Coordinates of all heavy atoms in Angstrom, one line a residue:
M5 N -120.0 -24.7 -95.4 CA -120.2 -25.1 -94.0 C -118.9 -24.8 -93.1 O -119.0 -24.6 -92.0 CB -120.4 -26.6 -94.0 CG -120.8 -27.1 -92.6 SD -122.4 -26.4 -92.1 CE -123.4 -27.8 -91.9
I6 N -117.7 -24.9 -93.7 CA -116.5 -24.6 -93.0 C -116.4 -23.1 -92.5 O -115.9 -22.8 -91.5 CB -115.3 -25.0 -93.9 CG1 -113.9 -24.9 -93.0 CG2 -115.1 -24.0 -95.0 CD1 -113.8 -26.1 -92.2
V7 N -117.0 -22.2 -93.4 CA -117.1 -20.8 -93.0 C -117.9 -20.6 -91.8 O -117.5 -19.9 -90.8 CB -117.7 -20.0 -94.2 CG1 -117.8 -18.6 -93.7 CG2 -116.8 -20.2 -95.4
L8 N -119.0 -21.3 -91.6 CA -119.8 -21.3 -90.3 C -119.1 -21.7 -89.2 O -119.2 -21.2 -88.0 CB -121.1 -22.0 -90.5 CG -122.2 -21.3 -91.5 CD1 -123.4 -22.2 -91.6 CD2 -122.7 -20.0 -91.0
K9 N -118.3 -22.8 -89.3 CA -117.5 -23.5 -88.2 C -116.4 -22.4 -87.8 O -116.2 -22.2 -86.5 CB -116.9 -24.6 -88.7 CG -118.0 -25.8 -88.8 CD -117.3 -27.1 -89.2 CE -118.4 -28.2 -89.3 NZ -117.9 -29.4 -89.5
I10 N -115.8 -21.7 -88.9 CA -114.8 -20.7 -88.5 C -115.5 -19.5 -87.7 O -114.9 -19.0 -86.8 CB -114.0 -20.2 -89.7 CG1 -113.3 -21.6 -90.3 CG2 -113.2 -19.0 -89.5 CD1 -112.6 -21.1 -91.7
L11 N -116.6 -19.1 -88.1 CA -117.4 -18.1 -87.5 C -117.8 -18.5 -86.1 O -118.0 -17.5 -85.1 CB -118.5 -17.5 -88.4 CG -118.2 -16.8 -89.6 CD1 -119.4 -16.5 -90.4 CD2 -117.4 -15.5 -89.3
A12 N -118.1 -19.7 -85.9 CA -118.6 -20.1 -84.5 C -117.4 -20.2 -83.5 O -117.8 -20.3 -82.3 CB -119.3 -21.5 -84.7
A13 N -116.2 -20.5 -83.9 CA -115.1 -20.6 -83.1 C -114.9 -19.6 -82.1 O -114.7 -19.9 -80.8 CB -113.9 -20.9 -83.8
P14 N -114.9 -18.3 -82.4 CA -114.8 -17.2 -81.3 C -116.0 -17.3 -80.3 O -115.7 -17.1 -79.1 CB -114.8 -16.0 -82.1 CG -114.4 -16.4 -83.5 CD -114.9 -17.7 -83.7
F15 N -117.2 -17.7 -80.6 CA -118.3 -17.9 -79.8 C -118.1 -18.8 -78.8 O -118.5 -18.7 -77.7 CB -119.6 -18.0 -80.6 CG -120.1 -16.8 -81.3 CD1 -120.0 -16.6 -82.6 CD2 -120.6 -15.6 -80.8 CE1 -120.3 -15.6 -83.5 CE2 -121.0 -14.5 -81.4 CZ -120.7 -14.5 -82.8
V16 N -117.4 -19.9 -79.3 CA -117.1 -21.1 -78.3 C -116.1 -20.7 -77.3 O -116.3 -20.9 -76.1 CB -116.7 -22.3 -79.1 CG1 -116.1 -23.3 -78.1 CG2 -117.7 -22.8 -80.0
V17 N -115.1 -19.9 -77.7 CA -114.2 -19.3 -76.7 C -114.8 -18.4 -75.7 O -114.7 -18.5 -74.6 CB -113.0 -18.7 -77.5 CG1 -112.1 -17.9 -76.4 CG2 -112.2 -19.6 -78.3
V18 N -115.6 -17.5 -76.2 CA -116.3 -16.6 -75.3 C -117.3 -17.4 -74.4 O -117.4 -17.1 -73.0 CB -117.1 -15.5 -76.2 CG1 -118.0 -14.7 -75.3 CG2 -116.1 -14.7 -76.9
L19 N -118.0 -18.3 -74.9 CA -119.0 -19.1 -74.1 C -118.2 -19.9 -73.0 O -118.8 -20.1 -71.9 CB -119.8 -19.9 -74.9 CG -121.1 -19.4 -75.5 CD1 -121.7 -20.2 -76.5 CD2 -122.0 -18.7 -74.5
T20 N -117.0 -20.5 -73.4 CA -116.3 -21.3 -72.4 C -115.9 -20.4 -71.3 O -116.0 -20.8 -70.1 CB -115.1 -21.9 -73.1 OG1 -115.6 -22.7 -74.2 CG2 -114.3 -22.8 -72.2
V21 N -115.4 -19.1 -71.4 CA -114.9 -18.4 -70.5 C -116.0 -17.9 -69.7 O -116.1 -17.7 -68.4 CB -114.1 -17.2 -71.1 CG1 -113.7 -16.1 -69.9 CG2 -112.9 -17.7 -71.6
L22 N -117.1 -17.5 -70.4 CA -118.4 -17.0 -69.7 C -119.0 -18.1 -68.8 O -119.4 -17.8 -67.6 CB -119.3 -16.5 -70.7 CG -120.6 -15.9 -70.1 CD1 -120.3 -14.6 -69.4 CD2 -121.7 -15.6 -71.3
A23 N -119.0 -19.3 -69.2 CA -119.5 -20.3 -68.5 C -118.8 -20.6 -67.2 O -119.3 -20.9 -66.2 CB -119.7 -21.7 -69.3
A24 N -117.4 -20.6 -67.4 CA -116.5 -20.8 -66.3 C -116.7 -19.7 -65.1 O -116.9 -19.9 -63.9 CB -115.1 -20.9 -66.6
V25 N -116.7 -18.4 -65.6 CA -116.9 -17.4 -64.6 C -118.3 -17.4 -63.9 O -118.4 -17.3 -62.8 CB -116.8 -15.9 -65.4 CG1 -117.3 -14.9 -64.6 CG2 -115.3 -15.8 -65.9
V26 N -119.4 -17.7 -64.8 CA -120.6 -17.7 -64.2 C -120.8 -19.0 -63.2 O -121.5 -18.8 -62.1 CB -121.7 -17.8 -65.3 CG1 -123.1 -18.2 -64.9 CG2 -121.8 -16.5 -66.1
S27 N -120.2 -20.0 -63.5 CA -120.2 -21.2 -62.6 C -119.6 -20.8 -61.3 O -120.1 -21.3 -60.2 CB -119.6 -22.3 -63.2 OG -120.4 -22.8 -64.3
F28 N -118.4 -20.2 -61.4 CA -117.7 -19.8 -60.1 C -118.5 -18.8 -59.4 O -118.6 -18.9 -58.1 CB -116.3 -19.0 -60.6 CG -115.6 -18.6 -59.4 CD1 -114.9 -19.3 -58.4 CD2 -115.6 -17.2 -59.2 CE1 -114.3 -18.9 -57.3 CE2 -114.9 -16.6 -58.0 CZ -114.3 -17.5 -57.1
L29 N -119.1 -17.8 -60.0 CA -119.9 -16.8 -59.2 C -121.1 -17.5 -58.7 O -121.6 -17.2 -57.5 CB -120.5 -15.7 -60.2 CG -119.3 -14.7 -60.6 CD1 -119.8 -13.6 -61.6 CD2 -118.7 -14.1 -59.4
F30 N -121.7 -18.5 -59.4 CA -123.0 -19.2 -58.9 C -122.6 -20.0 -57.6 O -123.3 -20.0 -56.6 CB -123.5 -20.3 -59.9 CG -124.6 -21.0 -59.4 CD1 -125.9 -20.5 -59.1 CD2 -124.4 -22.4 -59.1 CE1 -126.8 -21.5 -58.7 CE2 -125.4 -23.2 -58.9 CZ -126.5 -22.8 -58.5
C31 N -121.4 -20.6 -57.6 CA -121.0 -21.4 -56.3 C -120.8 -20.4 -55.1 O -121.1 -20.7 -54.1 CB -119.6 -22.1 -56.5 SG -119.9 -23.5 -57.7
M32 N -120.0 -19.3 -55.5 CA -119.9 -18.3 -54.4 C -121.1 -17.8 -53.9 O -121.3 -17.6 -52.6 CB -118.9 -17.2 -54.8 CG -117.6 -17.5 -55.2 SD -116.8 -18.2 -53.6 CE -116.4 -19.9 -54.1
A33 N -122.0 -17.4 -54.7 CA -123.4 -16.9 -54.4 C -124.2 -17.9 -53.6 O -124.9 -17.6 -52.5 CB -124.2 -16.5 -55.5
T34 N -124.1 -19.2 -53.9 CA -124.7 -20.2 -53.1 C -124.4 -20.3 -51.7 O -125.2 -20.7 -50.8 CB -124.7 -21.6 -53.9 OG1 -125.1 -21.5 -55.2 CG2 -125.4 -22.7 -53.3
A35 N -123.0 -20.2 -51.4 CA -122.4 -20.2 -50.2 C -123.0 -19.1 -49.4 O -123.4 -19.3 -48.1 CB -120.9 -20.2 -50.2
V36 N -123.0 -17.9 -50.0 CA -123.6 -16.8 -49.3 C -125.1 -16.9 -49.0 O -125.5 -16.6 -47.8 CB -123.2 -15.5 -50.0 CG1 -123.9 -14.3 -49.4 CG2 -121.8 -15.1 -50.0
F37 N -125.8 -17.4 -49.9 CA -127.2 -17.6 -49.8 C -127.7 -18.5 -48.6 O -128.7 -18.4 -47.9 CB -127.9 -18.0 -51.0 CG -128.1 -16.8 -52.1 CD1 -128.5 -17.1 -53.3 CD2 -127.9 -15.6 -51.7 CE1 -128.8 -16.1 -54.2 CE2 -128.2 -14.6 -52.5 CZ -128.6 -14.8 -53.8
V38 N -126.8 -19.7 -48.4 CA -127.1 -20.6 -47.5 C -127.0 -19.9 -46.0 O -127.9 -20.2 -45.2 CB -126.2 -21.8 -47.6 CG1 -126.2 -22.7 -46.2 CG2 -126.4 -22.6 -48.7
V39 N -126.0 -19.1 -45.9 CA -125.9 -18.4 -44.6 C -126.9 -17.4 -44.5 O -127.6 -17.4 -43.2 CB -124.4 -17.7 -44.5 CG1 -124.2 -16.8 -43.3 CG2 -123.4 -18.7 -44.5
A40 N -127.3 -16.6 -45.5 CA -128.4 -15.7 -45.4 C -129.7 -16.4 -45.1 O -130.6 -15.8 -44.4 CB -128.4 -14.9 -46.5
C41 N -129.9 -17.5 -45.6 CA -131.1 -18.2 -45.4 C -131.4 -18.6 -44.0 O -132.4 -18.4 -43.5 CB -131.2 -19.4 -46.4 SG -132.8 -20.4 -46.3
V42 N -130.3 -19.1 -43.4 CA -130.4 -19.5 -42.1 C -130.7 -18.3 -41.1 O -131.5 -18.3 -40.2 CB -129.0 -20.2 -41.5 CG1 -129.0 -20.5 -40.1 CG2 -128.9 -21.5 -42.2
V43 N -130.0 -17.2 -41.4 CA -130.2 -16.0 -40.6 C -131.6 -15.4 -40.7 O -132.2 -15.1 -39.8 CB -129.2 -14.8 -41.0 CG1 -129.5 -13.5 -40.5 CG2 -127.8 -15.3 -40.7
L44 N -132.1 -15.4 -42.1 CA -133.5 -14.9 -42.2 C -134.6 -15.8 -41.6 O -135.6 -15.3 -41.1 CB -133.8 -14.9 -43.7 CG -133.2 -13.7 -44.5 CD1 -133.5 -13.8 -46.0 CD2 -133.7 -12.4 -43.9
T45 N -134.3 -17.2 -41.5 CA -135.2 -18.0 -40.9 C -135.3 -17.8 -39.4 O -136.3 -17.8 -38.7 CB -134.8 -19.5 -41.1 OG1 -134.8 -19.7 -42.6 CG2 -135.8 -20.6 -40.6
L46 N -134.0 -17.6 -38.8 CA -133.9 -17.3 -37.3 C -134.6 -16.0 -37.0 O -135.4 -15.8 -36.0 CB -132.5 -17.4 -36.9 CG -131.7 -18.7 -36.9 CD1 -130.4 -18.5 -36.5 CD2 -132.6 -19.6 -35.9
L47 N -134.5 -15.0 -37.8 CA -135.2 -13.8 -37.7 C -136.8 -13.9 -37.8 O -137.5 -13.2 -37.0 CB -134.7 -12.7 -38.7 CG -133.3 -12.1 -38.4 CD1 -133.0 -11.1 -39.7 CD2 -133.3 -11.2 -37.1
A48 N -137.1 -14.7 -38.8 CA -138.6 -14.9 -38.9 C -139.1 -15.7 -37.6 O -140.3 -15.2 -37.1 CB -138.8 -15.9 -40.1
V49 N -138.4 -16.6 -37.1 CA -138.9 -17.3 -35.9 C -138.9 -16.3 -34.7 O -139.9 -16.3 -34.0 CB -138.0 -18.5 -35.6 CG1 -138.3 -19.0 -34.3 CG2 -138.1 -19.6 -36.7
T50 N -137.9 -15.4 -34.7 CA -137.9 -14.5 -33.6 C -139.1 -13.5 -33.8 O -139.8 -13.2 -32.7 CB -136.5 -13.6 -33.6 OG1 -135.6 -14.5 -33.6 CG2 -136.5 -12.5 -32.4
L51 N -139.4 -13.1 -34.9 CA -140.6 -12.2 -35.2 C -141.9 -12.9 -34.8 O -142.8 -12.4 -34.3 CB -140.6 -11.6 -36.6 CG -139.6 -10.6 -36.9 CD1 -139.5 -10.2 -38.4 CD2 -139.8 -9.4 -36.1
F52 N -142.0 -14.2 -35.2 CA -143.2 -14.9 -34.9 C -143.4 -15.0 -33.2 O -144.5 -14.8 -32.8 CB -143.2 -16.3 -35.4 CG -143.6 -16.4 -36.8 CD1 -142.9 -16.9 -37.8 CD2 -144.8 -15.9 -37.2 CE1 -143.3 -16.9 -39.2 CE2 -145.3 -15.9 -38.5 CZ -144.5 -16.4 -39.5
I53 N -142.3 -15.2 -32.6 CA -142.4 -15.5 -31.1 C -142.7 -14.1 -30.6 O -143.5 -14.0 -29.6 CB -141.0 -15.9 -30.7 CG1 -140.9 -17.4 -31.0 CG2 -141.0 -15.8 -29.0 CD1 -139.4 -18.0 -30.7
S54 N -142.3 -12.9 -31.2 CA -142.5 -11.6 -30.6 C -143.9 -11.1 -30.9 O -144.3 -10.1 -30.4 CB -141.3 -10.7 -30.9 OG -141.5 -10.4 -32.3
G55 N -144.7 -11.8 -31.7 CA -146.0 -11.5 -32.0 C -146.2 -10.5 -33.4 O -147.3 -10.1 -33.7
Q56 N -145.1 -10.4 -34.1 CA -145.1 -9.7 -35.5 C -145.3 -10.6 -36.5 O -144.3 -11.0 -37.2 CB -144.0 -8.8 -35.6 CG -143.7 -7.7 -34.5 CD -142.5 -7.0 -34.6 OE1 -141.7 -7.1 -35.5 NE2 -142.4 -6.0 -33.7
T57 N -146.6 -11.1 -36.7 CA -146.7 -12.2 -37.8 C -146.5 -11.8 -39.2 O -145.8 -12.6 -39.9 CB -148.3 -12.6 -37.7 OG1 -148.6 -12.9 -36.3 CG2 -148.4 -13.8 -38.6
L58 N -146.8 -10.6 -39.6 CA -146.6 -10.1 -40.9 C -145.0 -10.0 -41.2 O -144.6 -10.5 -42.2 CB -147.2 -8.8 -41.1 CG -147.1 -8.2 -42.6 CD1 -147.7 -9.1 -43.5 CD2 -147.7 -6.8 -42.6
G59 N -144.3 -9.5 -40.3 CA -142.8 -9.5 -40.6 C -142.2 -10.9 -40.6 O -141.3 -11.1 -41.4
G60 N -142.8 -11.8 -39.7 CA -142.2 -13.2 -39.8 C -142.6 -14.0 -41.2 O -141.6 -14.6 -41.7
I61 N -143.8 -13.6 -41.7 CA -144.1 -14.2 -43.0 C -143.1 -13.6 -44.2 O -142.8 -14.4 -45.0 CB -145.6 -13.9 -43.3 CG1 -146.4 -14.7 -42.4 CG2 -145.9 -14.2 -44.6 CD1 -147.9 -14.3 -42.5
V62 N -143.0 -12.2 -44.0 CA -142.1 -11.7 -44.9 C -140.6 -12.3 -45.0 O -140.2 -12.5 -46.0 CB -142.0 -10.1 -44.8 CG1 -141.0 -9.4 -45.7 CG2 -143.3 -9.5 -45.1
F63 N -140.2 -12.4 -43.7 CA -139.0 -13.0 -43.7 C -138.8 -14.4 -44.2 O -137.8 -14.9 -44.7 CB -138.3 -12.9 -42.3 CG -137.7 -11.5 -42.0 CD1 -138.3 -10.7 -41.3 CD2 -136.4 -11.3 -42.6 CE1 -137.6 -9.4 -41.0 CE2 -135.8 -10.1 -42.3 CZ -136.4 -9.0 -41.6
L64 N -139.9 -15.2 -43.8 CA -139.9 -16.5 -44.4 C -140.1 -16.7 -46.0 O -139.4 -17.5 -46.6 CB -141.2 -17.3 -43.8 CG -141.1 -17.9 -42.4 CD1 -142.2 -18.6 -41.9 CD2 -139.7 -18.8 -42.3
V65 N -140.7 -15.7 -46.5 CA -140.7 -15.6 -48.0 C -139.4 -15.4 -48.5 O -138.9 -15.9 -49.5 CB -141.8 -14.7 -48.5 CG1 -141.8 -14.4 -50.0 CG2 -143.2 -15.2 -48.1
L66 N -138.8 -14.3 -48.0 CA -137.3 -14.0 -48.3 C -136.4 -15.1 -48.2 O -135.5 -15.5 -49.0 CB -136.9 -12.8 -47.7 CG -137.5 -11.4 -48.0 CD1 -137.1 -10.5 -47.1 CD2 -137.2 -11.2 -49.4
A67 N -136.6 -16.0 -47.1 CA -135.7 -17.1 -46.8 C -135.9 -18.1 -47.9 O -135.1 -18.8 -48.4 CB -136.0 -17.6 -45.4
F68 N -137.2 -18.4 -48.3 CA -137.5 -19.3 -49.3 C -136.9 -18.9 -50.7 O -136.4 -19.8 -51.4 CB -139.0 -19.5 -49.5 CG -139.3 -20.3 -50.6 CD1 -139.2 -21.8 -50.6 CD2 -139.8 -19.8 -51.9 CE1 -139.6 -22.6 -51.7 CE2 -140.1 -20.6 -53.0 CZ -140.0 -22.0 -52.8
L69 N -137.0 -17.5 -51.0 CA -136.4 -17.1 -52.3 C -135.0 -17.3 -52.4 O -134.4 -17.6 -53.5 CB -136.8 -15.6 -52.4 CG -138.3 -15.4 -52.9 CD1 -138.5 -13.8 -52.9 CD2 -138.6 -16.1 -54.2
I70 N -134.2 -17.1 -51.3 CA -132.8 -17.4 -51.3 C -132.4 -18.8 -51.0 O -131.2 -19.1 -50.9 CB -132.1 -16.4 -50.6 CG1 -132.3 -16.4 -49.1 CG2 -132.2 -14.9 -51.0 CD1 -131.4 -15.7 -48.2
S71 N -133.3 -19.7 -50.7 CA -133.0 -20.9 -50.4 C -132.6 -21.7 -51.7 O -132.9 -21.2 -52.7 CB -134.2 -21.7 -49.7 OG -135.2 -22.0 -50.6
P72 N -132.2 -23.0 -51.6 CA -131.9 -23.7 -52.8 C -133.0 -23.9 -53.7 O -132.8 -24.4 -54.9 CB -131.3 -25.0 -52.4 CG -130.6 -24.7 -51.0 CD -131.5 -23.7 -50.4
Y73 N -134.2 -23.6 -53.2 CA -135.4 -24.0 -54.1 C -135.9 -22.8 -54.8 O -136.9 -22.8 -55.6 CB -136.5 -24.6 -53.2 CG -136.1 -25.9 -52.6 CD1 -135.9 -25.9 -51.3 CD2 -135.9 -27.0 -53.4 CE1 -135.5 -27.1 -50.6 CE2 -135.4 -28.2 -52.8 CZ -135.3 -28.3 -51.4 OH -134.9 -29.5 -50.9
G74 N -135.5 -21.6 -54.5 CA -135.9 -20.4 -55.1 C -135.0 -19.8 -56.2 O -134.9 -20.4 -57.2
I75 N -134.5 -18.6 -56.0 CA -133.6 -17.9 -57.1 C -132.4 -18.9 -57.5 O -132.1 -18.9 -58.6 CB -133.2 -16.7 -56.6 CG1 -134.5 -15.8 -56.4 CG2 -132.2 -16.0 -57.6 CD1 -134.3 -14.4 -55.9
P76 N -131.7 -19.5 -56.5 CA -130.7 -20.3 -57.0 C -130.9 -21.4 -57.9 O -130.2 -21.7 -58.8 CB -130.0 -20.9 -55.7 CG -130.3 -19.8 -54.8 CD -131.8 -19.3 -55.0
A77 N -132.2 -21.9 -57.8 CA -132.6 -23.0 -58.7 C -132.8 -22.4 -60.1 O -132.4 -23.1 -61.1 CB -133.9 -23.6 -58.2
I78 N -133.3 -21.1 -60.3 CA -133.4 -20.6 -61.6 C -132.0 -20.4 -62.1 O -131.7 -20.5 -63.2 CB -134.3 -19.3 -61.4 CG1 -135.7 -19.6 -60.9 CG2 -134.3 -18.5 -62.8 CD1 -136.4 -18.5 -60.6
A79 N -131.1 -19.9 -61.2 CA -129.8 -19.5 -61.7 C -129.1 -20.9 -62.2 O -128.3 -20.8 -63.1 CB -129.0 -18.9 -60.6
E80 N -129.3 -21.9 -61.4 CA -128.7 -23.2 -61.8 C -129.2 -23.7 -63.2 O -128.4 -24.1 -64.1 CB -128.9 -24.2 -60.8 CG -128.2 -25.5 -61.1 CD -128.5 -26.6 -60.1 OE1 -129.2 -26.4 -59.0 OE2 -127.8 -27.6 -60.1
W81 N -130.6 -23.5 -63.5 CA -131.1 -23.9 -64.7 C -130.4 -22.9 -65.8 O -130.1 -23.5 -67.0 CB -132.5 -23.6 -64.7 CG -133.3 -23.9 -66.0 CD1 -133.6 -25.1 -66.4 CD2 -133.7 -23.0 -67.0 NE1 -134.3 -25.0 -67.7 CE2 -134.3 -23.7 -68.0 CE3 -133.7 -21.6 -67.1 CZ2 -134.9 -23.2 -69.0 CZ3 -134.3 -21.0 -68.2 CH2 -134.9 -21.8 -69.2
L82 N -130.2 -21.7 -65.6 CA -129.7 -20.7 -66.7 C -128.1 -21.3 -66.9 O -127.7 -21.1 -68.1 CB -129.8 -19.3 -66.1 CG -131.2 -18.6 -66.2 CD1 -131.1 -17.3 -65.7 CD2 -131.6 -18.7 -67.6
V83 N -127.4 -21.5 -66.0 CA -126.1 -22.0 -66.0 C -126.0 -23.2 -66.9 O -125.1 -23.4 -67.8 CB -125.4 -22.1 -64.7 CG1 -124.1 -22.8 -64.9 CG2 -125.1 -20.8 -64.1
D84 N -126.9 -24.2 -66.5 CA -127.1 -25.4 -67.3 C -127.3 -25.1 -68.9 O -126.7 -25.7 -69.7 CB -128.0 -26.4 -66.8 CG -127.6 -27.0 -65.5 OD1 -126.4 -27.0 -65.2 OD2 -128.5 -27.6 -64.7
K85 N -128.2 -24.2 -69.1 CA -128.6 -23.8 -70.5 C -127.3 -23.2 -71.1 O -127.0 -23.5 -72.3 CB -129.7 -23.0 -70.5 CG -131.0 -23.6 -70.1 CD -131.3 -24.8 -71.0 CE -132.5 -25.4 -70.5 NZ -132.7 -26.7 -71.2
L86 N -126.6 -22.4 -70.4 CA -125.3 -21.8 -70.9 C -124.3 -22.9 -71.3 O -123.8 -22.9 -72.5 CB -124.7 -20.8 -70.0 CG -123.6 -20.1 -70.5 CD1 -124.0 -19.0 -71.5 CD2 -123.0 -19.2 -69.3
H87 N -124.1 -24.0 -70.5 CA -123.2 -25.0 -70.9 C -123.7 -25.8 -71.9 O -122.9 -26.2 -72.9 CB -123.1 -25.9 -69.5 CG -122.3 -25.5 -68.6 ND1 -120.8 -25.4 -68.6 CD2 -122.4 -24.8 -67.2 CE1 -120.3 -24.7 -67.5 NE2 -121.2 -24.5 -66.7
N88 N -125.1 -26.0 -72.0 CA -125.6 -26.8 -73.2 C -125.4 -26.0 -74.4 O -125.0 -26.7 -75.4 CB -127.1 -27.0 -72.9 CG -127.4 -28.0 -71.8 OD1 -126.5 -28.8 -71.5 ND2 -128.5 -28.0 -71.4
L89 N -125.6 -24.7 -74.5 CA -125.2 -24.0 -75.7 C -123.8 -24.1 -76.1 O -123.5 -24.3 -77.2 CB -125.5 -22.6 -75.5 CG -125.4 -21.5 -76.6 CD1 -126.2 -21.9 -77.9 CD2 -125.6 -20.2 -76.2
N90 N -122.9 -24.0 -75.1 CA -121.4 -24.2 -75.3 C -121.2 -25.6 -76.0 O -120.3 -25.7 -77.0 CB -120.7 -23.9 -74.0 CG -119.2 -23.9 -74.3 OD1 -118.7 -23.8 -75.4 ND2 -118.5 -23.9 -73.2
F91 N -121.6 -26.7 -75.4 CA -121.3 -28.0 -75.9 C -122.1 -28.3 -77.2 O -121.5 -28.9 -78.1 CB -121.9 -29.1 -74.9 CG -121.0 -29.0 -73.6 CD1 -121.6 -29.1 -72.4 CD2 -119.6 -29.1 -73.7 CE1 -120.9 -29.2 -71.2 CE2 -118.8 -29.1 -72.6 CZ -119.4 -29.1 -71.3
A92 N -123.2 -27.5 -77.6 CA -123.8 -27.7 -78.8 C -122.9 -27.1 -79.9 O -122.7 -27.7 -81.0 CB -125.2 -27.0 -78.7
L93 N -122.4 -25.9 -79.6 CA -121.6 -25.2 -80.5 C -120.2 -25.9 -80.8 O -119.8 -26.0 -81.9 CB -121.3 -23.7 -80.1 CG -122.2 -22.7 -80.5 CD1 -121.8 -21.3 -79.9 CD2 -122.3 -22.5 -82.1
R94 N -119.7 -26.5 -79.8 CA -118.5 -27.3 -79.8 C -118.8 -28.6 -80.7 O -118.0 -29.1 -81.5 CB -118.0 -27.9 -78.5 CG -117.3 -26.8 -77.7 CD -116.9 -27.5 -76.4 NE -116.3 -26.5 -75.5 CZ -115.7 -26.7 -74.4 NH1 -115.6 -27.9 -74.0 NH2 -115.2 -25.8 -73.6
G95 N -120.0 -29.2 -80.5 CA -120.3 -30.4 -81.3 C -120.5 -30.0 -82.9 O -120.2 -30.7 -83.8
F96 N -121.0 -28.6 -83.0 CA -121.2 -28.2 -84.4 C -119.9 -28.1 -85.1 O -119.7 -28.5 -86.3 CB -121.9 -26.9 -84.5 CG -122.0 -26.2 -85.7 CD1 -122.7 -26.8 -86.9 CD2 -121.3 -25.1 -86.0 CE1 -122.8 -26.1 -88.0 CE2 -121.3 -24.5 -87.3 CZ -122.0 -25.0 -88.2
I97 N -118.9 -27.6 -84.3 CA -117.5 -27.3 -84.9 C -117.0 -28.7 -85.2 O -116.3 -28.8 -86.2 CB -116.8 -26.5 -84.0 CG1 -117.3 -25.0 -84.1 CG2 -115.2 -26.4 -84.4 CD1 -116.5 -24.1 -83.0
R98 N -117.0 -29.6 -84.3 CA -116.4 -30.9 -84.5 C -117.0 -31.8 -85.6 O -116.3 -32.5 -86.2 CB -116.4 -31.7 -83.2 CG -115.4 -31.2 -82.2 CD -115.3 -32.1 -81.0 NE -115.1 -31.4 -79.8 CZ -115.5 -31.7 -78.7 NH1 -116.5 -32.6 -78.5 NH2 -115.3 -30.8 -77.7
G99 N -118.3 -31.5 -85.7 CA -119.1 -32.4 -86.6 C -119.0 -32.2 -88.2 O -118.3 -31.4 -88.7

């Protein structure tokens, strides 16, 4: 069992660094996505007012995808799973 713990130690180090980098990138991307979501929503409203319904719908769908309920929610779920894997490996080594 001690051999498995020794083999798992480098994976914990890599996962710790990877989780930190991915969390930082996720925070930066979320800030950019909030600004882009507002811009896309304003463009969609402008297209609806000018009579281009299809373009307005497309921009609203894109705004939803980059809103906190779209792609960032999936990315947050993946980051949480990465952290859970890291903590599970840490628990295996300590246990």
